[in-house]
Amino acid sequence: MVKAADAAVSVSDDQGKETKTIKTNIKSKKEKKKKERVLSKAQAEYEAKKAARRAVIFKVPVDLAKLGHEAASKAAHESRITRELEKRARRTSRLASIPLETARDLHERALAGAAEAQARIREIRAMQKTGESKQERGSERSKEESSL
């Protein structure tokens, strides 16, 4: 009997360069049948309740939770990263007085590893720590001009 195994196949072009690697999962007939079986009514109810609990825990739609733990946790993780990125972008937008889209783009580039974007974000945060912002600096300048 053949057990489930992962196999990797490398494909080469004419010049002998490896172009891509294809991963496959070899399964036995028994394992394939196990996936295709129909659940009993009690088992189907249990699976539905379990999916509903998973949906509440991970805060994902029930249809996604029915796909399993890994799919639900991955979707929850990705949505959490998106929410955190949006939160940081709103804060940066407010501090630097720049449009939200620009701040979001800045944070996406920083997340991808762009050094100049990371440096700009650090600069904006440093302005916050010192209590400066563009609006405050602008209002200070207008006060100085009005007093002259």
Side-chain angles (χ1 to χ4, degrees):
M1 182 175 151
V2 177
K3 291 188 175 183
D6 288 326
V9 179
S10 295
V11 179
S12 300
D13 62 2
D14 301 341
Q15 297 151 356
K17 295 180 182 175
E18 189 176 305
T19 54
K20 60 173 127 171
T21 302
I22 303 168
K23 290 187 177 180
T24 58
N25 191 1
I26 303 168
K27 295 182 179 179
S28 68
K29 289 181 183 178
K30 203 174 200 180
E31 290 177 26
K32 287 181 184 178
K33 284 183 181 178
K34 193 184 280 185
K35 293 270 184 187
E36 295 171 6
R37 71 179 186 164
V38 178
L39 299 176
S40 68
K41 187 175 180 181
Q43 185 67 28
E45 288 176 6
Y46 172 74
E47 291 295 326
K49 286 181 183 178
K50 189 163 72 169
R53 282 193 311 261
R54 188 179 293 127
V56 170
I57 290 169
F58 287 115
K59 297 177 185 161
V60 296
V62 176
D63 292 337
L64 184 64
K66 285 181 182 177
L67 296 176
H69 178 78
E70 287 183 27
S73 65
K74 184 176 181 182
H77 178 71
E78 289 173 358
S79 66
R80 183 173 55 247
I81 289 174
T82 304
R83 284 192 312 270
E84 290 172 354
L85 183 80
E86 187 68 26
K87 182 180 175 183
R88 289 192 305 266
R90 280 194 307 267
R91 187 175 107 198
T92 301
S93 173
R94 181 176 37 88
L95 290 173
S97 301
I98 59 175
L100 181 60
E101 295 79 26
T102 306
R104 188 180 304 121
D105 181 52
L106 185 68
H107 277 279
E108 286 173 355
R109 287 186 291 133
L111 189 63
E116 72 279 352
Q118 292 171 354
R120 177 74 177 119
I121 292 170
R122 280 191 206 106
E123 179 182 309
I124 291 168
R125 288 179 181 165
M127 285 189 324
Q128 177 201 15
K129 288 181 182 176
T130 60
E132 288 184 23
S133 70
K134 286 185 178 181
Q135 291 175 345
E136 289 176 1
R137 285 186 282 179
S139 63
E140 288 175 7
R141 288 181 189 149
S142 63
K143 287 178 186 177
E144 290 173 6
E145 291 172 1
S146 64
S147 65
L148 294 176

